[in-house]
Amino acid sequence: MIVFDNICFSYGTRQVLKDISFSIESNERVAILGGSGEGKTTILKLIVGLIKPDSGRIGIDKVDITDKTEDELREVRKKFSIVFQEGALFDSLNVKENVAFCLREYTKMSEEEIEEKVGKLLRKVGVEQAMQLMPDELSGGMHRRVAVARSLAVYEPRMFLYDEPTAGLDPVNAENICNLIVDLSKGGIGHVVVTHKVVDALRVVDRFMFLQNGVMIFDGNSYGLMHSAIPEIQIFISELNFNSKENRQFV
Amino acid sequence: MNIKGLVSDIQDCYLLSIRGILGIFRRPFYFKDTIEQMDYAGAGSFLIIFLVSLFIGMALSLQLSAELSRLGLKMYTGKVVGISIIREVGPVTAALVFSGRVGAGMASELGSMILGHQIDSLRVFGVDPIKKLVTPRILSAVIMLPALTLMGDAVSLFGAYYIAVFVSHQSGYFYWSSIKDILNFENVLAGSIKPFIFGYLIACISCYMGFSTKGGAVGLRKSTTRAVVMSIIMIIISDFILTRILLYVLGFSV
């Protein structure tokens, strides 16, 4: 579904991605790992066309989207449901209005229908009690859940994209979010999770990519990741608690 | 900033201002957002422009009364104050206050949305951020600034009247008849075209600065400051250019 072909990208003079190539099928569950500022979020933004690469081509469903205009990209974006870091909820709208945003924008649903649909979506992600709260009154975990509900409001996505879904969350909330990500991927819907937390990535994906200095230095399964001889990866996996039964089963 | 960056900024700001205004003619129309922005820009700025205009009118009247009485021309206070306020001081004062309050608000709000990925969210949902966020702000500024200027002019004239009559002991009747004399087509036109242009400039510059925010809280501070500073500079420069053009078009000799 997603094909990156020799993608290079720079922020000003700083080159973030250097000749990145990979392909992801729509039913795959992939994590992009790497340190801060390694270009993980940049890859998500490139997938949905929010930014353009300096060179290389990006294909979505065998269609080259590299040079598409904002209007043409609208159809491409409908295939994805993206949850930005910390949710990116509209802070001037309450939870209900955030989730109802796209419904009001694109459908002619009545107030009752919108209320019903919003309630259903919030129940699905487990935050129906927060309907009238403002985003700054939500906890980090609730923020992400509402963002997921909002991204599901209008379109049935073919793939979910998550940007640091568990960053800044306590272990309980992080686990809840991981469970939600796994639940949503049931039925063959794949996802790409950008994270620097290997523990959470192990819970939700089967395939791992590792970015280091703008280069993809690893692309493989959990076994390959855990047994990688690359020092940077070893530093990353050293955060795992190997005494934990749950983590041990992946090794 | 280098020359290339400056040219690129000017080009981007120009494109945003064109797309922003063209958004008025394309669906969907964001009436609710426009009304909200008009409320924020208009009703929210009413009191501050009222106060500033009142005291500027009073100060102007005091200065001119003092100076004109030395020349024995005190009775012309109303005429000179009226022309100054309607043609120049009123529109510029309202625009400067508007840029400080509303322009800064627009830049910081949009900048905060950029930093929180809210604009990216809009784009992912297929919503044109310029149409949704910039067009209502341009519309509200272009509608509300002239209205506020009109109110400010009236308040300034009342402030000037108070000083002329109760402090400088001039005839109130003569003051108002002088004002009536100068409220001709040329003066009213000269004073009423400017706020539309100023409003458009303030909204475009502030929205552009907000959209170009990067670098966290410090970046937000910088973009808000730049929005206000650039708006003020552009108001003053465009005021001079407009005055020159209007004087020429209306047949005044300089």
Side-chain angles (χ1 to χ4, degrees):
Chain A
M1 183 185 185
I2 304 167
V3 177
F4 269 43
D5 185 15
N6 294 316
I7 294 297
C8 294
F9 184 84
S10 308
Y11 286 111
T13 53
R14 190 170 73 89
Q15 190 166 18
V16 184
L17 300 177
K18 298 172 191 162
D19 276 331
I20 299 282
S21 296
F22 62 82
S23 63
I24 299 173
E25 293 304 317
S26 62
N27 59 353
E28 271 192 293
R29 308 192 311 167
V30 182
I32 300 173
L33 300 165
S36 299
E38 293 288 359
K40 304 187 298 294
T41 303
T42 303
I43 289 182
L44 288 194
K45 287 185 175 180
L46 285 166
I47 292 173
V48 288
L50 289 175
I51 47 177
K52 303 259 180 232
D54 300 338
S55 63
R57 316 301 299 173
I58 299 169
I60 304 291
D61 279 339
K62 295 177 183 166
V63 176
D64 189 340
I65 65 153
T66 321
D67 301 317
K68 285 205 180 289
T69 62
E70 198 73 4
D71 285 336
E72 292 166 336
L73 282 167
R74 234 161 256 164
E75 284 308 307
V76 175
R77 289 171 182 159
K78 285 178 185 171
K79 296 174 182 176
F80 297 98
S81 163
I82 183 165
V83 177
F84 287 100
Q85 197 167 2
E86 291 167 14
L89 299 179
F90 302 124
D91 49 18
S92 56
L93 305 176
N94 67 14
V95 167
K96 180 189 158 193
E97 291 304 317
N98 259 286
V99 179
F101 180 82
C102 283
L103 298 173
R104 293 194 197 286
E105 200 72 29
Y106 294 114
T107 68
K108 289 190 163 65
M109 291 168 89
S110 66
E111 243 349 271
E112 292 75 30
E113 287 170 321
I114 287 176
E115 185 114 4
E116 192 186 325
K117 173 107 188 188
V118 170
K120 199 174 147 190
L121 286 164
L122 289 175
R123 258 193 307 283
K124 189 172 183 178
V125 297
V127 283
E128 69 269 36
Q129 75 282 5
M131 199 184 266
Q132 298 302 330
L133 297 181
M134 295 301 285
D136 61 359
E137 296 172 297
L138 303 175
S139 67
M142 289 164 95
H143 242 270
R144 319 281 159 99
R145 285 167 175 274
V146 174
V148 170
R150 185 181 62 174
S151 71
L152 294 169
V154 176
Y155 309 115
E156 290 290 331
R158 289 189 48 212
M159 197 160 204
F160 288 96
L161 308 175
Y162 300 99
D163 186 11
E164 302 279 8
T166 57
L169 298 185
D170 62 81
V172 176
N173 265 314
E175 179 153 356
N176 288 338
I177 290 291
C178 289
N179 292 338
L180 178 63
I181 291 172
V182 172
D183 285 346
L184 290 172
S185 70
K186 280 174 185 163
I189 303 177
H191 55 240
V192 178
V193 179
V194 156
T195 182
H196 59 268
K197 293 168 90 173
V198 185
V199 185
D200 297 330
L202 282 167
R203 290 190 181 120
V204 297
V205 304
D206 318 302
R207 179 180 164 193
F208 299 80
M209 296 180 185
F210 197 97
L211 278 174
Q212 174 74 28
N213 295 328
V215 180
M216 190 80 77
I217 58 170
F218 178 85
D219 185 353
N221 61 16
S222 57
Y223 183 86
L225 184 81
M226 305 310 280
H227 292 86
S228 170
I230 301 168
E232 288 83 7
I233 295 180
Q234 286 181 343
I235 294 170
F236 255 77
I237 59 176
S238 66
E239 72 165 276
L240 292 173
N241 174 11
F242 286 97
N243 294 324
S244 142
K245 185 185 166 190
E246 196 184 348
N247 289 340
R248 220 171 31 240
Q249 74 185 19
F250 293 108
V251 180
Chain B
M1 184 190 285
N2 56 24
I3 298 291
K4 196 179 161 191
L6 183 68
V7 172
S8 164
D9 268 354
I10 292 170
Q11 180 183 306
D12 290 347
C13 186
Y14 173 75
L15 286 174
L16 181 124
S17 61
I18 297 291
R19 286 183 61 197
I21 200 78
L22 288 178
I24 297 171
F25 309 106
R26 283 190 300 123
R27 284 178 186 279
F29 303 118
Y30 294 102
F31 290 117
K32 196 176 159 224
D33 298 67
T34 308
I35 299 294
E36 273 174 20
Q37 288 303 320
M38 283 169 72
D39 178 48
Y40 168 72
S45 307
F46 182 86
L47 190 62
I48 184 167
I49 290 185
F50 182 95
L51 281 173
V52 169
S53 301
L54 179 69
F55 284 95
I56 281 193
M58 287 163 71
L60 200 62
S61 183
L62 265 180
Q63 290 277 15
L64 287 169
S65 295
E67 202 55 41
L68 291 173
S69 64
R70 274 177 28 181
L71 302 169
L73 300 168
K74 204 160 82 171
M75 67 283 221
Y76 290 112
T77 303
K79 198 162 199 161
V80 181
V81 164
I83 289 176
S84 312
I85 288 172
I86 289 166
R87 276 209 215 154
E88 198 65 42
V89 179
V92 172
T93 305
L96 293 178
V97 173
F98 195 84
S99 73
R101 188 187 173 277
V102 181
M106 287 179 186
S108 61
E109 188 182 3
L110 297 182
S112 165
M113 290 182 79
I114 284 276
L115 295 176
H117 295 294
Q118 293 174 42
I119 307 284
D120 284 343
S121 292
L122 282 178
R123 290 174 63 198
V124 169
F125 295 146
V127 177
D128 181 354
I130 293 180
K131 225 182 141 352
K132 167 89 179 159
L133 301 169
V134 178
T135 303
R137 281 165 175 77
I138 289 178
L139 261 178
S140 75
V142 167
I143 294 169
M144 295 320 292
L145 186 55
L148 288 166
T149 304
L150 195 68
M151 180 275 294
D153 285 356
V155 171
S156 285
L157 291 176
F158 274 104
Y161 165 81
Y162 174 79
I163 294 296
V165 173
F166 295 103
V167 178
S168 185
H169 306 296
Q170 297 171 39
S171 156
Y173 175 79
F174 191 74
Y175 176 88
W176 285 121
S177 63
S178 306
I179 297 293
K180 211 173 136 190
D181 283 345
I182 57 135
L183 281 177
N184 53 27
F185 174 75
E186 286 84 4
N187 287 332
V188 172
L189 181 75
S192 43
I193 283 182
K194 287 179 181 178
F196 289 101
I197 311 285
F198 293 160
Y200 182 60
L201 285 172
I202 292 167
C204 292
I205 291 170
S206 304
C207 289
Y208 174 71
M209 291 302 173
F211 272 134
S212 56
T213 302
K214 53 190 164 199
V218 175
L220 188 58
R221 185 193 68 193
K222 280 184 187 166
S223 61
T224 308
T225 309
R226 280 176 68 198
V228 176
V229 171
M230 286 306 296
S231 296
I232 289 172
I233 291 171
M234 288 310 295
I235 288 165
I236 304 294
I237 292 174
S238 60
D239 178 56
F240 168 74
I241 295 168
L242 281 169
T243 303
R244 192 75 188 89
I245 293 170
L246 285 166
L247 286 178
Y248 176 76
V249 171
L250 297 172
F252 286 92
S253 58
V254 183

